[in-house]
Amino acid sequence: MSGNGMDHIIKSYDDELARLTGEIIRMGELSISQLEAAIDVVERRDERAARHVVSSDEAIDQLEQEISRDVVRLLALRAPMAGDLRNVFAALRIAADIERIGDYGANVAKRSIPLTMVAPIEATSGLSHLAKLAAVAVRDVLLAYRERDADKAYAVWKNDVQLDEAYTGYFRQLLTYMMEDPRNITPCTHLLFMAKNIERIGDHATNIAESIWYQVHGEPLVKQRKKRDETASPDLSGLL
Amino acid sequence: MSGNGMDHIIKSYDDELARLTGEIIRMGELSISQLEAAIDVVERRDERAARHVVSSDEAIDQLEQEISRDVVRLLALRAPMAGDLRNVFAALRIAADIERIGDYGANVAKRSIPLTMVAPIEATSGLSHLAKLAAVAVRDVLLAYRERDADKAYAVWKNDVQLDEAYTGYFRQLLTYMMEDPRNITPCTHLLFMAKNIERIGDHATNIAESIWYQVHGEPLVKQRKKRDETASPDLSGLL
């Protein structure tokens, strides 16, 4: 038996890291449920369910605070070095990204409340499509985190271009609805912001992918593709 | 003379923390310049200057990465405890918030580019007003950070309600412009997102205020006022 004091410390550090990883996966899964619930709420126009999604965001925020506390304790008690420190920092960054994903999901649900009060428009199906792409990205990047799989993370990172393109297309579609009928303006404005929130969820999934890459390889993912927002680019003015 | 080894280590830690604080102040000042330049660009409709603001965001991102590296080194070399650890974590969180403020400033500048190509509308003055409120908040919270002044930080946190109200008023104003004339829809959509970006800058200033409070008092600022987004609340539907 090699049960000396040093082994004990090393085992405890691994245990704590495993616990941290587990908390982050749980937090991530909550954020996906929230996003899916938000979209369900938009499709069904259910104000009560929407308020439930908004209030559930608290649980994600609390998990992030627990994770921050765990990280502080781990750093103070173990003073990890190099690769271990990288794991701990990745956990901290990823938790912050998931917290933002939760916020965006809650925002989508929140904006669905004013939407319930306006005439139904067919424009929400584009939003569901965006949300499905975003949920896949978050799910895949969590799997990559669980398996410490940098290549899987990179695939998520690269795929974000699809979500960006879907967002741009949907944005243009909403503008045409607004131009067709002024009564569409207010609901479509909410849908614009909801779509933007979902596009941002994709950006946070790519952030998580970058954290995983750094955690595994110890060097940053080369940013061949800059984070873009096509609706902010000049070519949109062609719509006028 | 009390020049022993322990003193030397303590002094070095203080030096490193002072350097970290200085980097964060510098980063924050850059983010304020970016926000002010973005608004200037919107008012003058200057595409070249807008592109300059967008590309200058890189400098803020690099400073954040330097700060993260400094924090990692400080943690690895000094393994600070309790209050010191709190200082280091506050630095890390504040740097992340400033990085986001920089992103939002760059986004405002980016969206001003498609705006330059459309007929001038009077609606940009409301945006300048919002941006001025946001710049004051960031400036004040940086001062609070420099002086480790929790009360000053709390004042910034409380004042954010003004920015939120100005945002809500401006949002409604833009909706009426859009309803008056469909040609206003596309430019006003950009202005809506720009306003939202500025409102988010205010939220990050309040995050920084919370970090300062925690750094000074060792306990979280009680959230009497939840982060709100009035345009996502049901009462907006009264506009229909």
Side-chain angles (χ1 to χ4, degrees):
Chain A
M1 306 297 245
S2 65
N4 61 38
M6 196 58 194
D7 260 20
H8 175 70
I9 286 170
I10 289 166
K11 187 160 171 286
S12 291
Y13 170 77
D14 285 347
D15 283 351
E16 293 206 49
L17 189 65
R19 197 164 79 102
L20 202 57
T21 306
E23 280 173 336
I24 285 170
I25 300 286
R26 191 149 57 92
M27 197 181 162
E29 278 162 0
L30 262 178
S31 78
I32 295 172
S33 310
Q34 284 282 90
L35 176 60
E36 287 172 344
I39 287 307
D40 186 51
V41 146
V42 174
E43 281 170 353
R44 290 189 299 114
R45 315 265 167 138
D46 182 339
E47 182 176 338
R48 226 180 116 219
R51 291 191 189 280
H52 180 70
V53 174
V54 173
S55 66
S56 300
D57 187 44
E58 196 67 29
I60 297 178
D61 291 352
Q62 275 174 7
L63 261 174
E64 198 216 355
Q65 280 169 26
E66 268 175 49
I67 288 167
S68 287
R69 272 197 298 271
D70 286 351
V71 164
V72 169
R73 209 190 45 227
L74 210 152
L75 288 172
L77 294 179
R78 311 261 168 243
M81 300 277 156
D84 289 339
L85 198 56
R86 227 157 56 214
N87 287 331
V88 173
F89 265 84
L92 202 63
R93 282 188 179 271
I94 290 171
D97 280 307
I98 295 173
E99 192 266 333
R100 299 292 299 134
I101 289 172
D103 280 353
Y104 285 120
N107 268 335
V108 169
K110 209 197 241 172
R111 284 198 185 268
S112 80
I113 298 173
L115 267 187
T116 59
M117 310 197 175
V118 298
I121 48 167
E122 67 266 54
T124 56
S125 70
L127 194 75
S128 300
H129 175 61
L130 284 186
K132 272 163 204 155
L133 290 177
V136 167
V138 178
R139 205 183 297 283
D140 287 351
V141 88
L142 275 183
L143 202 65
Y145 178 61
R146 191 200 295 264
E147 299 173 356
R148 303 281 189 268
D149 186 335
D151 291 335
K152 201 170 267 173
Y154 179 68
V156 172
W157 187 83
K158 246 177 54 188
N159 268 342
D160 187 50
V161 68
Q162 284 178 24
L163 181 56
D164 284 353
E165 280 169 8
Y167 167 70
T168 304
Y170 184 56
F171 191 97
R172 288 171 192 228
Q173 188 192 336
L174 289 174
L175 285 183
T176 58
Y177 282 122
M178 291 160 98
M179 289 176 197
E180 273 164 25
D181 186 342
R183 286 171 300 178
N184 289 337
I185 288 175
T186 298
C188 284
T189 297
H190 289 297
L191 288 169
L192 279 176
F193 275 106
M194 290 155 99
K196 184 72 192 169
N197 285 336
I198 293 171
E199 186 263 340
R200 293 291 298 142
I201 288 176
D203 288 344
H204 285 284
T206 66
N207 286 351
I208 294 173
E210 288 175 13
S211 294
I212 296 167
W213 184 275
Y214 184 76
Q215 183 181 12
V216 172
H217 292 298
E219 55 187 37
L221 182 57
V222 181
K223 300 193 180 182
Q224 298 147 319
R225 190 174 76 80
K226 280 295 284 179
K227 190 171 63 187
R228 289 168 316 156
D229 172 358
E230 287 288 345
T231 70
S233 78
D235 67 304
L236 187 78
S237 56
L239 271 173
L240 282 175
Chain B
M1 307 297 244
S2 64
N4 59 38
M6 197 60 193
D7 261 20
H8 175 69
I9 286 170
I10 290 165
K11 185 159 172 288
S12 291
Y13 170 77
D14 285 347
D15 284 351
E16 293 205 47
L17 189 65
R19 197 164 79 103
L20 203 55
T21 306
E23 279 174 336
I24 285 170
I25 301 285
R26 191 149 56 91
M27 198 181 161
E29 279 164 358
L30 262 178
S31 78
I32 295 171
S33 311
Q34 284 281 90
L35 176 60
E36 286 172 343
I39 288 306
D40 186 52
V41 146
V42 173
E43 281 170 352
R44 291 190 295 115
R45 316 265 166 137
D46 181 338
E47 181 176 338
R48 226 180 116 218
R51 293 191 187 280
H52 181 71
V53 175
V54 173
S55 65
S56 300
D57 187 44
E58 195 68 29
I60 296 180
D61 291 351
Q62 275 173 7
L63 260 175
E64 199 217 354
Q65 280 168 26
E66 266 174 50
I67 289 168
S68 287
R69 271 196 299 270
D70 286 351
V71 164
V72 170
R73 208 191 45 228
L74 209 153
L75 288 171
L77 294 179
R78 308 262 169 243
M81 301 277 155
D84 289 340
L85 198 56
R86 226 157 57 214
N87 287 331
V88 172
F89 265 83
L92 202 62
R93 282 187 180 272
I94 291 171
D97 279 307
I98 296 173
E99 191 265 334
R100 298 292 298 137
I101 290 172
D103 280 354
Y104 286 120
N107 268 336
V108 169
K110 211 197 239 174
R111 283 199 185 267
S112 80
I113 299 173
L115 266 188
T116 58
M117 308 198 178
V118 299
I121 49 169
E122 67 267 53
T124 56
S125 71
L127 194 76
S128 301
H129 176 61
L130 284 187
K132 271 163 204 154
L133 289 176
V136 168
V138 178
R139 205 185 297 283
D140 287 351
V141 87
L142 275 182
L143 203 64
Y145 178 61
R146 192 201 295 261
E147 298 172 357
R148 301 281 188 267
D149 186 334
D151 292 334
K152 200 170 267 171
Y154 178 69
V156 172
W157 187 82
K158 246 178 53 187
N159 268 342
D160 187 51
V161 69
Q162 284 178 23
L163 181 57
D164 283 354
E165 280 168 8
Y167 166 70
T168 304
Y170 185 54
F171 191 97
R172 288 169 192 229
Q173 188 192 337
L174 289 175
L175 285 182
T176 58
Y177 281 123
M178 290 160 98
M179 288 174 195
E180 274 164 23
D181 186 342
R183 285 170 300 180
N184 288 336
I185 289 175
T186 296
C188 284
T189 297
H190 288 296
L191 288 170
L192 279 177
F193 275 106
M194 291 155 98
K196 184 72 191 168
N197 285 336
I198 293 170
E199 186 264 342
R200 294 289 299 141
I201 288 175
D203 288 343
H204 285 283
T206 66
N207 287 351
I208 294 172
E210 289 176 11
S211 295
I212 295 167
W213 185 274
Y214 184 77
Q215 183 181 16
V216 172
H217 292 299
E219 53 188 39
L221 183 56
V222 181
K223 298 192 179 183
Q224 299 147 318
R225 192 175 73 80
K226 282 293 287 182
K227 189 171 64 187
R228 292 168 315 157
D229 173 358
E230 289 287 346
T231 69
S233 80
D235 67 305
L236 187 77
S237 57
L239 271 173
L240 281 175

